[in-house]
Amino acid sequence: MKSRIQGSFLAFILSLFLSSVMVPVALAAPFPNSEGHQGECLLCHAQESFFAYLENGESISLTVTTDHTKNSIHWDENIYCADCHTDQSDNPHPNPDTTTCKDCHPNNEYDEEVNLANISFKLAYLTLRDYQLNLNNICKDCHQSEAERSADSTHQMVFDQGNLSAPICTDCHKSHFVVKPNQPRSMISEICSECHLAVYTTYAGSVHGAALIGEGNEDVPSCVDCHGVHDISGPYDITFRNASVIMCTTCHSDESLMAPYGISTQIIETYLKDFHARSSNLFILSNKNRPKDQAVCFDCHGIHNILAPDNPSSQVYPENLLHTCQKCHIDADITFPRTWLGHYVPTIEDNPILFFINKFYPTLIGTVLFVSSIYIFFDARKRSQLKNSIDKNEQEGK
Amino acid sequence: MTEYTVRQINRAKALSRRMYKLPNGERIYLRFPKYQRIEHQTLILSFFTLSFSGLVQRYSHLKIANYIINQLLGGINNVQFIHHVAASIFIAQSIYHFAKIIRMLLIDQELGYMWPTKKDFLDIWGIFLYNIGKKDAKPLFDRFTVEEKLEYWALIWVNIIMIITGLIQGFPVFFTKFFSREILPISKAIHSWEAVLAVLVVLIWHTYHVLVKEKNNSIFTGYLTENQMKENHPLELIRILEAIAFMKEISKIP
């Protein structure tokens, strides 16, 4: 027992010694280049109360959380601090203002433990956003296709219009604690919620959102499944509206995906044959830039607030359906929604008349074709027989 | 001396005027007066346009239909516009036709020759027996053969059904005020199926009888030759000849 206490005491002394020595040692040597260094930066940057001042007087924390950084996906891929912070790869850093170091260390001698909290460093950027935007450019060196797609996004468009708060890579993916955004999948929606909180709240109450956020069910769509990942398009343009049916059908026509929830995949086929859709091909191949005047899925079912049709709050719940129809069919009467079958193939129990019509007509058409073919066959045969005999008589007459 | 009513004389006059003598001495008989020819030509136009613009919608999942809709006609909205214009013409001429029938029945006090009779049922069986060789003579027809009557009444049936179901689909909000319970999907199903039936009947039955078995272009020229009359409408030919004889007879009356 005694020896164990002695051991831990020794370890404590040793760690005190090491911590007091290691920081000056690290500072004394120039930073290794990106291949060499594996987080020596953290010797300083893990310290709390480590600040720099921007040109506008704002202070920013230079502290990097070690746990986050070492658990980030970049760390696993051997990508370290200086790979992104290329301008800070030398020690002392050429930028920020190195004179603040040289004031006290004119010979670059860092041989004592330094309490960084007492020193005011300066960063040569006007604002924090300037600094973030500058660093953000480095992402595309590795993530070229993502950067290209982002350049077409509605976020970039808003940014180009002068809104500097429009999200850049690091706003969604974070700078140091970079992880796969879909693990768990609900994280995607949480990332979006940082800006789109109202939509997120609505989504979280929807049938999709409740399943993803509440139950951790990964079968349901998160934000990016409909809106895209990097090339996020604006939801108000025609292309988005026209493409929306395909977004819904991609999952809702997938038998294996729908089967566990008892959702019929026929709803898509029947919808596409319906007035509103006119037909699947028309939807897919019609002039992509022309607005559709007919209802698409979300016009009836809702967008972020989509609910299961048997939920009394759903826009397509029988009691609410008239109100939903009236969005377009302003004069629609109470009987109007009842004349619609929903997305279901007519059955003999629920829709006997329609069921009968769909059986009757093929039979009628078949019968008519069969009888008239027989009639025409014998009529044509008799005519050719008569013609032959007349020709024969004429020849004999000659 | 027999006394004739004005009506009898007028009818005979009209009938006797159906025969024309061509300069080469050949006799031709008026089958369709000009207004009927125009009516039929309008029908060709509206029926063809309706079938075409309707069937491409019914079969829009096929590549060819999709090509027609999107490439040739510039999108579904144009196709529907064409369909609705043709439908308006179709409805207008249907109203005209029904008005003509009512006028014939009420004002002219005539029945016409299109009504189905007991003879028609015997005739169609008779033709079939004749065609399969069980009978030596073909039934004799008046102004309309049983085949023509069948097609006419089929078209009347299709006409009524298509207009009703078409209007329901065109004005769903209005019609659902009066009818509930699946009226829209029922109308759509019937409209769609009936279209196929109508097009097939016209393609097969009508094409066979006016183009294949004989070239009967009286709907364009208006006239039939004497041989055609003897072959297909002998009873009408007799009536015309009788009327001519009758007119000659009464012209002798001072």
Side-chain angles (χ1 to χ4, degrees), chain A residues 273-275 278-282 285-287 290-291 293-294 329-333 335-336 338-341 349-355 357-359 361-362 364-365 368-369 371-383 385-386, chain B residues 57 60-63 66 69-70 74-78 80 124 127-128 130-133 135 138 146-147 157 161 169 172-173 176-186 188-190 193-194 196-197 200-201 204-205 208-209 213 231-232:
Chain A
K273 283 181 182 168
D274 185 75
F275 294 107
R278 288 163 194 180
S279 87
S280 58
N281 287 347
L282 297 180
L285 293 174
S286 276
N287 189 348
R290 202 168 53 206
D293 51 4
Q294 69 271 42
H329 303 276
I330 298 156
D331 300 332
D333 221 334
T335 48
F336 184 75
R338 281 191 224 148
T339 60
W340 194 62
L341 280 183
E349 295 87 15
D350 297 333
N351 323 95
I353 303 173
L354 201 54
F355 182 84
I357 286 168
N358 283 332
K359 296 278 175 234
Y361 268 100
L364 177 69
I365 291 172
V368 167
L369 284 188
V371 172
S372 49
S373 307
I374 289 180
Y375 183 92
I376 287 169
F377 170 76
F378 283 111
D379 196 78
R381 198 183 65 159
K382 183 73 184 178
R383 275 166 201 280
Q385 280 172 357
L386 277 176
Chain B
Q57 290 181 67
S60 58
H61 55 278
L62 300 180
K63 258 194 178 149
N66 208 303
I69 292 172
N70 289 312
I76 185 69
N77 291 345
N78 291 0
Q80 291 203 325
I124 192 108
I127 296 172
F128 188 70
Y130 168 76
N131 282 340
I132 60 170
K135 247 185 170 183
K138 213 176 162 179
V146 64
E147 293 145 347
W157 164 254
I161 294 277
Q169 290 176 85
V173 173
T176 50
K177 287 191 194 327
F178 311 106
F179 308 96
S180 180
R181 191 76 191 148
E182 302 166 31
I183 185 178
L184 290 178
I186 287 173
K188 183 170 162 267
I190 293 179
W193 281 116
E194 195 76 42
V196 176
L197 181 63
L200 283 175
V201 164
I204 294 171
W205 193 256
Y208 175 74
H209 284 109
K213 81 171 186 193
E231 159 105 24
N232 291 322

Side-chain angles (χ1 to χ4, degrees), chain A residues 234-243 287-292:
Chain A
Y236 302 111
D237 69 6
I238 296 155
T239 329
F240 187 87
R241 182 179 166 79
N242 289 353
N287 189 348
K288 286 194 176 68
N289 296 319
R290 202 168 53 206
K292 299 263 172 291

Side-chain angles (χ1 to χ4, degrees), chain B:
Chain B
M1 193 145 190
T2 339
E3 292 216 356
Y4 301 107
T5 60
V6 180
R7 241 171 86 79
Q8 269 178 314
I9 295 169
N10 282 344
R11 280 175 105 181
K13 205 173 176 183
L15 259 180
S16 66
R17 281 180 181 169
R18 289 196 164 213
M19 190 193 79
Y20 286 79
K21 263 189 187 152
L22 291 180
N24 62 4
E26 200 183 320
R27 287 191 287 191
I28 57 170
Y29 297 83
L30 181 68
R31 179 143 179 80
F32 298 114
K34 197 162 195 174
Y35 72 89
Q36 284 185 353
R37 278 178 270 158
I38 292 171
E39 194 183 343
H40 186 266
Q41 264 62 289
T42 319
L43 183 65
I44 294 178
L45 195 80
S46 61
F47 187 88
F48 176 80
T49 313
L50 281 169
S51 319
F52 186 77
S53 59
L55 287 178
V56 291
Q57 290 181 67
R58 181 185 159 96
Y59 293 103
S60 58
H61 55 278
L62 300 180
K63 258 194 178 149
I64 174 78
N66 208 303
Y67 176 80
I68 292 166
I69 292 172
N70 289 312
Q71 310 298 319
L72 291 186
L73 300 173
I76 185 69
N77 291 345
N78 291 0
V79 178
Q80 291 203 325
F81 178 73
I82 294 168
H83 196 77
H84 295 162
V85 170
S88 309
I89 298 170
F90 189 72
I91 293 171
Q93 71 178 122
S94 303
I95 293 170
Y96 166 80
H97 191 85
F98 283 103
K100 291 284 280 186
I101 294 173
I102 288 164
R103 198 190 108 155
M104 179 184 80
L105 292 175
L106 297 184
I107 296 170
D108 300 348
Q109 305 264 314
E110 280 183 44
L111 270 179
Y113 297 94
M114 200 50 108
W115 300 105
T117 59
K118 194 183 160 192
K119 181 177 178 292
D120 293 324
F121 293 93
L122 299 172
D123 281 358
I124 192 108
W125 185 238
I127 296 172
F128 188 70
L129 288 181
Y130 168 76
N131 282 340
I132 60 170
K134 298 270 178 192
K135 247 185 170 183
D136 294 334
K138 213 176 162 179
L140 302 178
F141 302 114
D142 202 320
R143 179 152 171 75
F144 299 108
T145 70
V146 64
E147 293 145 347
E148 289 162 344
K149 284 187 180 184
L150 263 176
E151 200 187 321
Y152 175 84
W153 287 107
L155 187 64
I156 293 288
W157 164 254
V158 167
N159 188 311
I160 294 168
I161 294 277
M162 292 307 265
I163 289 176
I164 291 173
T165 56
L167 285 174
I168 290 172
Q169 290 176 85
F171 304 95
V173 173
F174 177 76
F175 280 93
T176 50
K177 287 191 194 327
F178 311 106
F179 308 96
S180 180
R181 191 76 191 148
E182 302 166 31
I183 185 178
L184 290 178
I186 287 173
S187 300
K188 183 170 162 267
I190 293 179
H191 198 83
S192 183
W193 281 116
E194 195 76 42
V196 176
L197 181 63
V199 169
L200 283 175
V201 164
V202 168
L203 272 183
I204 294 171
W205 193 256
H206 194 63
T207 312
Y208 175 74
H209 284 109
V210 300
L211 290 173
V212 178
K213 81 171 186 193
E214 57 172 339
K215 279 238 167 56
N216 184 342
N217 52 5
S218 58
I219 201 69
F220 300 107
T221 62
Y223 293 92
L224 283 177
T225 62
E226 187 149 297
N227 279 341
Q228 281 174 318
M229 287 298 282
K230 277 180 186 164
E231 159 105 24
N232 291 322
H233 310 287
L235 299 181
E236 189 189 17
L237 181 63
I238 291 169
R239 280 194 296 114
I240 293 172
L241 295 176
E242 275 177 359
I244 292 167
F246 173 81
M247 289 308 288
K248 262 187 192 161
E249 200 178 296
I250 61 169
S251 66
K252 285 174 197 159
I253 300 170

Side-chain angles (χ1 to χ4, degrees), chain A residues 149-359:
Chain A
R149 279 176 13 232
S150 298
D152 296 330
S153 72
T154 195
H155 285 150
Q156 182 65 39
M157 206 177 75
V158 172
F159 183 87
D160 293 343
Q161 284 165 0
N163 185 347
L164 295 183
S165 304
I168 55 175
C169 310
T170 52
D171 289 327
C172 300
H173 292 284
K174 306 290 168 263
S175 40
H176 297 119
F177 188 33
V178 180
V179 291
K180 286 200 167 168
N182 60 348
Q183 286 171 359
R185 215 160 123 82
S186 57
M187 199 203 291
I188 299 169
S189 305
E190 279 157 24
I191 290 168
C192 303
S193 77
E194 285 174 23
C195 296
H196 301 277
L197 184 62
V199 169
Y200 174 81
T201 316
T202 316
Y203 167 77
S206 76
V207 68
H208 293 143
L212 180 66
I213 297 160
E215 301 162 23
N217 184 336
E218 304 218 335
D219 286 349
V220 295
S222 69
C223 308
V224 295
D225 293 292
C226 301
H227 293 282
V229 185
H230 293 106
D231 49 355
I232 298 164
S233 67
Y236 302 111
D237 69 6
I238 296 155
T239 329
F240 187 87
R241 182 179 166 79
N242 289 353
S244 67
V245 174
I246 317 231
M247 290 168 199
C248 304
T249 50
T250 309
C251 294
H252 279 274
S253 58
D254 186 335
E255 193 75 58
S256 60
L257 203 55
M258 291 299 119
Y261 308 100
I263 299 172
S264 160
T265 51
Q266 286 171 330
I267 59 171
I268 294 306
E269 217 196 307
T270 46
Y271 165 72
L272 292 172
K273 283 181 182 168
D274 185 75
F275 294 107
H276 289 139
R278 288 163 194 180
S279 87
S280 58
N281 287 347
L282 297 180
F283 242 112
I284 295 159
L285 293 174
S286 276
N287 189 348
K288 286 194 176 68
N289 296 319
R290 202 168 53 206
K292 299 263 172 291
D293 51 4
Q294 69 271 42
V296 295
C297 313
F298 63 66
D299 287 316
C300 303
H301 288 276
I303 307 174
H304 297 112
N305 58 347
I306 191 162
L307 290 168
D310 54 4
N311 185 323
S313 304
S314 166
Q315 292 184 21
V316 294
Y317 192 70
E319 269 72 28
N320 309 331
L321 197 54
L322 177 63
H323 182 68
T324 306
C325 295
Q326 281 173 338
K327 285 201 282 185
C328 297
H329 303 276
I330 298 156
D331 300 332
D333 221 334
I334 187 73
T335 48
F336 184 75
R338 281 191 224 148
T339 60
W340 194 62
L341 280 183
H343 294 301
Y344 294 95
V345 175
T347 58
I348 194 160
E349 295 87 15
D350 297 333
N351 323 95
I353 303 173
L354 201 54
F355 182 84
F356 172 71
I357 286 168
N358 283 332
K359 296 278 175 234

Side-chain angles (χ1 to χ4, degrees), chain A residues 2 16 19 65 126 145 174 225 312 324 330 390:
Chain A
K2 197 182 177 185
L16 265 183
S19 61
T65 315
L126 185 62
S145 77
K174 306 290 168 263
D225 293 292
T324 306
I330 298 156
I390 289 167

